[in-house]
Amino acid sequence: MSRLDPPRLSRRSFLSLASLGSFFAALGTAAAGIFRLPNPAVLPGPVRRFKLGPPEQFSAGSETAFAEQNLVLFRDDEGFYAISSTCTHLGCTVARSKDGFACPCHGSRFDSKGSVIGGPAPRPLPWLEVSRAANGDLIVSADNEVPEDTRYRV
Ligand code: FES
C-alpha cells in the first residue's frame, strides 16, 4: 500500500456506517412526519352557502340569476326553489333560454325544471337546498341537492 491509497474500509466499519446512516435517515423521516402531522393532507373546499337577501325582495313569479354563485332562484306560488346553472356535462355556465336552459359550450339543453332535453349532459341541473339564516335572509346551499319540485315556503 502506497501513501496515496485511501485507507481500506473494513467490512465491519462499512456496516457500522451504513447502519448509522439508516438510523439517521429513519429519524429524519419520522421527524418530518411528526412536523407534518398537524397539517391535514386533504383540505376541505370552501363552504358554498350563499345569502341571497330577504325573501320579500323576490316577488311571486320571479326568477333571479346569481351569476357569481352559478344559480337561479325562483319564487312561485308554492315557495322558493333554486336550480344550479352549472352544466352537468363539463361545468360551463348555462344561460336561460325560452324553453329552459341552454349550455353555450356543447349545446346541452335543459327544460325549465333542469331536466335534460338534448345534448351531451349526463344528468339534470341540480336543485339546491334553500333555507333561511338567523336574520331571515334566504340561503342557498350549493353543496346540498334536493329532489326536483322541492319548495321552501316562507
Ligand atoms: S359543458 Fe355544457 S354541454 Fe358541455
Side-chain angles (χ1 to χ4, degrees), residues 13-14 20 50-51 58 69-70 85 87 104 106 121 126 132 138 147:
S13 298
F14 173 76
L20 206 59
F50 307 115
K51 262 191 186 178
F58 306 99
Q69 292 82 3
N70 269 5
S85 57
C87 181
H106 311 104
R132 285 178 93 170
L138 289 174

Side-chain angles (χ1 to χ4, degrees), residues 87-94 103-108 110 119-121:
C87 181
T88 55
H89 179 223
L90 293 177
C92 289
T93 300
V94 299
C103 181
C105 293
H106 311 104
S108 286
F110 305 86

Side-chain angles (χ1 to χ4, degrees), residues 75-89:
R75 183 175 194 177
D76 62 14
D77 294 336
E78 298 173 51
F80 287 94
Y81 61 100
I83 298 180
S84 169
S85 57
T86 301
C87 181
T88 55
H89 179 223

Side-chain angles (χ1 to χ4, degrees), residues 100-126:
F101 301 89
C103 181
C105 293
H106 311 104
S108 286
R109 291 179 301 115
F110 305 86
D111 69 13
S112 59
K113 290 184 167 186
S115 298
V116 179
I117 53 176
R123 59 188 192 92
L125 296 173

Side-chain angles (χ1 to χ4, degrees), residues 1 12 17 20 29 54 68 73 81 85-86 88 90 100 106-107 110 126 136 142 150-151 154:
M1 187 166 98
R12 181 180 297 253
L17 283 174
L20 206 59
T29 303
E68 201 170 301
L73 181 73
Y81 61 100
S85 57
T86 301
T88 55
L90 293 177
H106 311 104
F110 305 86
T150 301
R151 299 290 194 278
V154 289

